[in-house]
C-alpha cells in the first residue's frame, strides 16, 4: 500500500528554535499534501493544504509566516515551525494524496516539544 | 457547530462483545465518509470507507444515513487488538481536506 514517511518523529528543542519537518510519499506522486496538528485529547485539525508547485492554502487562524510550507516536488513537502514557542508543542501529522478520488495516507507524525 | 461530532467514550467492552459507535455530521454537502483508527500517540490509519448502501469488512460494518446525517461503525467479536480511538471522518463535496471527529476511545478487556 501507499507509504508516507515523516521525519523526524520526535523533536525536543528550546524556545525560539526553528524546526523543519519533512513529509515524503515513497511510492506514489502526491499531488496534494496536508498538514495537521493534534493537541492532547483533541481531534486532528487541518493547518494547511499544499499542491505541488503552488503556495499553500492555510486554514483560518494558522499563521503562514510562522508555519512555512514548501511543496517543491511531487514526493516532498516540508513544514517549518519558525521561532517555536512552548504553545507550539503538539503532534504534527502530514498526509498525502494522489488524485482527488484517492484516499489520504498519513505519515507517522512528529511529536514536537518546545521547552 | 463542529463539522463532525462523536461520543468520546470511553467504551470498555469484554473480548468477544459487539460494540457500535455513532457519529453525526453537520454539513449536508458532505460527500465522502470514512472511519479511521488511531492508536495512542500514532498517526490515523484508514479502517474503511463508508458507502451509502452500507459495507462490511470482516468484523467491521459501516452504515451511512444521509437523511439523519449520521454514520455508524459496528465491531463484532471484539479483539484486544481493537483497542484504539476510532475517528469519524467526512469530506465535503469539492473540498480537498478531511474533517475529523474527536474520536471514540475503545478498550477491549480480557
Amino acid at each position: 500500500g501507499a507509504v508516507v514517511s515523516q521525519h523526524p518523529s520526535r523533536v525536543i528543542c528550546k524556545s525560539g528554535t526553528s524546526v523543519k519537518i519533512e513529509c515524503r510519499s515513497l511510492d506514489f506522486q502526491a499531488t496534494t499534501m496536508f498538514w495537521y496538528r493534534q493537541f492532547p485529547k483533541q481531534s486532528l485539525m487541518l493547518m494547511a493544504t499544499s499542491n505541488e508547485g503552488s503556495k499553500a492554502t492555510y486554514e483560518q487562524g494558522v499563521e503562514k509566516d510562522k508555519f512555512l510550507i514548501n511543496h517543491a516536488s511531487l514526493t516532498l513537502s516540508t513544514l517549518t515551525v519558525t521561532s517555536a514557542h512552548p504553545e507550539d508543542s503538539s503532534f504534527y501529522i502530514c498526509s498525502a494524496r494522489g488524485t482527488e478520488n484517492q484516499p489520504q495516507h498519513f505519515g507517522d507524525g512528529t511529536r514536537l516539544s518546545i521547552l | 457547530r463542529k463539522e463532525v461530532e462523536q461520543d468520546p467514550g470511553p467504551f470498555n467492552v469484554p473480548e468477544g462483545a459487539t460494540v457500535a459507535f455513532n457519529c453525526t455530521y453537520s454539513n449536508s454537502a458532505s460527500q465522502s465518509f470514512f472511519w479511521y483508527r488511531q492508536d495512542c500517540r500514532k498517526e490515523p490509519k484508514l479502517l474503511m470507507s463508508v458507502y451509502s448502501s452500507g459495507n462490511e469488512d470482516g468484523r467491521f460494518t459501516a452504515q451511512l444515513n444521509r437523511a439523519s446525517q449520521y454514520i455508524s461503525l459496528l465491531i463484532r467479536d471484539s479483539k484486544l487488538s481493537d483497542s484504539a480511538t476510532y475517528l469519524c471522518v467526512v469530506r465535503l463535496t469539492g473540498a480537498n481536506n478531511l474533517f475529523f471527529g474527536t474520536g471514540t476511545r475503545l478498550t477491549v478487556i480480557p
Side-chain angles (χ1 to χ4, degrees), chain A residues 34 36 38 43-44 46 49 91 93 97 100 103-104 106-108 111, chain B residues 36 38 41-44 46 87 91 94-98 100-102:
Chain A
F34 306 86
Y36 294 85
Q38 186 177 32
S43 180
L44 284 166
L46 181 67
T49 302
F91 189 48
I93 307 177
R97 186 187 70 196
E100 187 174 330
Q104 289 185 27
F106 287 84
D108 294 339
R111 192 158 299 281
Chain B
Y36 276 75
Q38 186 174 24
R41 301 169 80 86
K42 299 281 190 182
E43 78 283 12
L46 179 65
L87 302 167
R91 193 175 82 178
N96 269 317
N97 58 296
L98 302 175
F100 288 81
T102 51

Side-chain angles (χ1 to χ4, degrees), chain B residues 21-41:
Chain B
F21 308 136
N22 289 327
C23 155
T24 57
Y25 59 95
S26 61
N27 195 323
S28 59
S30 298
Q31 177 189 40
S32 305
F33 309 89
F34 311 90
W35 282 101
Y36 276 75
R37 171 196 167 124
Q38 186 174 24
D39 293 288
C40 190
R41 301 169 80 86

Side-chain angles (χ1 to χ4, degrees), chain A residues 6-25:
Chain A
Q6 189 172 338
H7 178 80
S9 58
R10 185 81 165 96
V11 180
I12 302 172
C13 57
K14 293 180 180 179
S15 185
T17 307
S18 291
V19 178
K20 181 188 274 190
I21 304 169
E22 291 187 350
C23 181
R24 292 181 186 273
S25 58

Side-chain angles (χ1 to χ4, degrees), chain A residues 35 67 91 97 99:
Chain A
W35 288 95
F67 298 98
F91 189 48
R97 186 187 70 196
T99 61

Side-chain angles (χ1 to χ4, degrees), chain A residues 10-17 19 83-90 111-115:
Chain A
R10 185 81 165 96
V11 180
I12 302 172
C13 57
K14 293 180 180 179
S15 185
T17 307
V19 178
S83 187
H85 292 283
E87 59 266 29
D88 298 323
S89 298
S90 186
R111 192 158 299 281
L112 176 63
S113 298
I114 307 298
L115 306 177

